[in-house]
Amino acid sequence: MSKSKRLLDLMMTVNRKRKFTVKELAGEFGVSPRTILRDLQELGELGVPLYSEVGPHGGYQVLNERILPPIAFTEEEAVAIFFASHALRHYNYLPFKEESVAALQKFYHYMSGDVRDRIDEMKHRIDFVTPARQAEFPYLAILLEAATGQKVLQIDYETKGKRMDRAIQPIGIYASNGLWYCPAYCFLRGGIRVFRCDRMHAVKVDTAGLAPLDLRHVHLGNMEAYDHVQQGAEQEGQKEPGQVADERQGRVPTNDKELSRLYIELTKEGVQACEAELWSASLLHIREDGTGWLEGDVPREDLPFFARFVIGLCNEAEVQEPQELAGRIRELLAEMLVKYS
């Protein structure tokens, strides 16, 4: 094995292992311990963050800031990766903002000249637009860390003009229309709720000893099914009515007494508008001709939200039920006419 190949294989090996000894590596690569020591010294000079521990149980370890081994990309792959990261520049807040900027600069710097020229030509001809927001999201990193590490957080949260402390266990974070949201298990409500991250005035790890739930298999893609199970448990346990979500971006049923049957006919344009809304996934039905409808059981408390949404669709939507929703729309329209009469 050539030295260059051995160094590359050694870099991948030490990145994979948490701890290792010179003797182990020498046996694995079939060289002397002295050769491995020289190789490890060269890796350190190349930037691999190694440190050693002395004693009978000592050895080498790689620090958390590991250096990835070289990866060969095709030109198309390199361009795709660049623009995938480049698209994030519109977000002033990211859970890894500084790291993404540094990675993009490093990636661009080490590209061949012709690939850089191609990217420069494309930079101002393709974009992924995100609405500019004045909101601030300083706690994205701790929310994401809590979601992956199964940690309970205490948050100072504002909703409907009031602030209160909540104990939550985040499932993840996601961005939509320039805003960041955090679906999390709320220990106060006993189910999954979606929180606006800009309405969190303080976030810290819980120190009261609240035991975290086992949510390792719950993620952004399947949390709705999990929440339905939780709602069933709440109904069986005779929870008090009115325990609905603070920030729903849609609807999550609470109990049968609070539900209203929703049915809204949509034109093609109405369907397209609904497709842009995350909350519509379980309500939206589309016909072959492109028209469709919204149908499902929704909390009565969410009817004001649907009224404003339908008004925004103008003639692209027609409410058929519930009549309470149609009445709320008429009230809102009357109030708007007063302003402009």
Side-chain angles (χ1 to χ4, degrees), residues 260-264 300 303-308 310-311 318-337:
S260 293
R261 188 65 181 175
L262 182 76
Y263 190 95
I264 303 174
R300 290 187 62 220
L303 293 184
F305 163 81
F306 283 104
R308 293 190 297 271
V310 170
I311 288 176
E318 180 183 350
V319 174
Q320 296 190 1
E321 58 177 326
Q323 287 303 308
E324 183 180 353
L325 175 57
R328 180 56 181 162
I329 292 173
R330 286 192 294 268
E331 292 174 3
L332 287 175
L333 291 174
E335 294 172 3
M336 292 173 64
L337 285 173

Side-chain angles (χ1 to χ4, degrees), residues 98-321:
E98 294 180 0
E99 293 83 356
S100 65
V101 172
L104 189 61
Q105 292 174 344
K106 187 181 297 184
F107 194 65
Y108 180 81
H109 177 75
Y110 283 101
M111 287 179 180
S112 62
D114 59 330
V115 176
R116 286 203 302 269
D117 291 341
R118 183 182 176 192
I119 286 176
D120 290 340
E121 287 293 327
M122 296 174 63
K123 268 185 183 179
H124 304 296
R125 302 180 187 279
I126 180 173
D127 205 354
F128 305 87
V129 178
T130 301
R133 300 284 188 176
Q134 297 298 317
E136 298 183 352
F137 309 91
Y139 304 111
L140 297 180
I142 187 174
L143 292 170
L144 182 58
E145 181 183 356
T148 57
Q150 302 290 294
K151 296 178 182 179
V152 178
L153 301 178
Q154 291 287 342
I155 64 173
D156 177 1
Y157 192 69
E158 181 178 348
T159 177
K160 297 180 181 178
K162 299 180 180 179
R163 290 171 60 171
M164 63 185 303
D165 293 331
R166 294 283 192 95
I168 66 170
Q169 185 173 333
I171 292 171
I173 57 176
Y174 66 86
S176 176
N177 291 323
L179 296 174
W180 282 92
Y181 299 86
C182 177
Y185 182 88
C186 177
F187 287 86
L188 175 65
R189 302 305 189 196
I192 293 176
R193 300 294 183 263
V194 180
F195 297 90
R196 277 262 301 267
C197 296
D198 58 314
R199 294 182 180 175
M200 297 180 182
H201 295 277
V203 178
K204 61 182 180 180
V205 176
D206 175 68
T207 57
L210 196 59
L213 302 178
D214 186 3
L215 300 179
R216 288 172 295 177
H217 303 296
V218 182
H219 50 75
L220 298 180
N222 65 7
M223 64 180 183
E224 187 174 351
Y226 175 86
D227 204 22
H228 287 170
V229 174
Q230 290 300 117
Q231 293 160 34
E234 287 185 10
Q235 293 175 27
E236 292 174 6
Q238 298 300 311
K239 291 286 184 179
E240 294 182 4
Q243 293 188 348
V244 295
D246 301 284
E247 305 296 336
R248 287 316 307 163
Q249 270 217 307
R251 71 290 133 321
V252 168
T254 49
N255 60 51
D256 292 340
K257 295 181 179 179
E258 296 176 333
L259 297 180
S260 293
R261 188 65 181 175
L262 182 76
Y263 190 95
I264 303 174
E265 275 290 335
L266 302 168
T267 65
K268 292 180 180 180
E269 290 74 14
V271 167
Q272 293 172 2
C274 289
E275 286 179 322
E277 303 291 337
L278 294 176
W279 53 260
S280 71
S282 61
L283 297 175
L284 181 60
H285 304 270
I286 305 175
R287 302 183 180 95
E288 290 186 1
D289 63 358
T291 64
W293 71 97
L294 294 172
E295 182 178 16
D297 294 324
V298 301
R300 290 187 62 220
E301 290 194 5
D302 283 351
L303 293 184
F305 163 81
F306 283 104
R308 293 190 297 271
F309 179 74
V310 170
I311 288 176
L313 295 180
C314 298
N315 291 328
E316 313 305 333
E318 180 183 350
V319 174
Q320 296 190 1
E321 58 177 326

Side-chain angles (χ1 to χ4, degrees), residues 10-144:
L10 183 60
M11 182 185 294
M12 291 188 289
T13 299
V14 299
N15 269 286
R16 187 175 66 250
K17 294 177 178 287
R18 289 186 59 84
K19 190 174 182 179
F20 53 89
T21 65
V22 171
K23 184 177 180 180
E24 290 172 353
L25 293 180
E28 184 172 342
F29 285 88
V31 296
S32 67
R34 180 175 297 181
T35 298
I36 288 296
L37 282 172
R38 286 199 302 266
D39 290 346
L40 290 176
Q41 183 177 356
E42 289 194 36
L43 289 184
E45 293 172 354
L46 290 172
V48 178
L50 296 168
Y51 77 96
S52 61
E53 295 178 339
V54 298
H57 301 291
Y60 282 84
Q61 283 186 277
V62 182
L63 297 175
N64 288 334
E65 295 80 12
R66 299 184 177 187
I67 303 297
L68 294 177
I71 303 174
F73 294 107
T74 66
E75 180 177 329
E76 297 300 323
E77 290 171 340
V79 171
I81 292 174
F82 178 88
F83 280 103
S85 181
H86 186 62
L88 298 176
R89 74 191 186 283
H90 293 299
Y91 285 93
N92 291 326
Y93 292 89
L94 291 170
F96 36 75
K97 179 70 173 182
E98 294 180 0
E99 293 83 356
S100 65
V101 172
L104 189 61
Q105 292 174 344
K106 187 181 297 184
F107 194 65
Y108 180 81
H109 177 75
Y110 283 101
M111 287 179 180
S112 62
D114 59 330
V115 176
R116 286 203 302 269
D117 291 341
R118 183 182 176 192
I119 286 176
D120 290 340
E121 287 293 327
M122 296 174 63
K123 268 185 183 179
H124 304 296
R125 302 180 187 279
I126 180 173
D127 205 354
F128 305 87
V129 178
T130 301
R133 300 284 188 176
Q134 297 298 317
E136 298 183 352
F137 309 91
Y139 304 111
L140 297 180
I142 187 174
L143 292 170
L144 182 58

Side-chain angles (χ1 to χ4, degrees), residues 334-341:
E335 294 172 3
M336 292 173 64
L337 285 173
V338 170
K339 289 184 178 181
Y340 296 101
S341 61

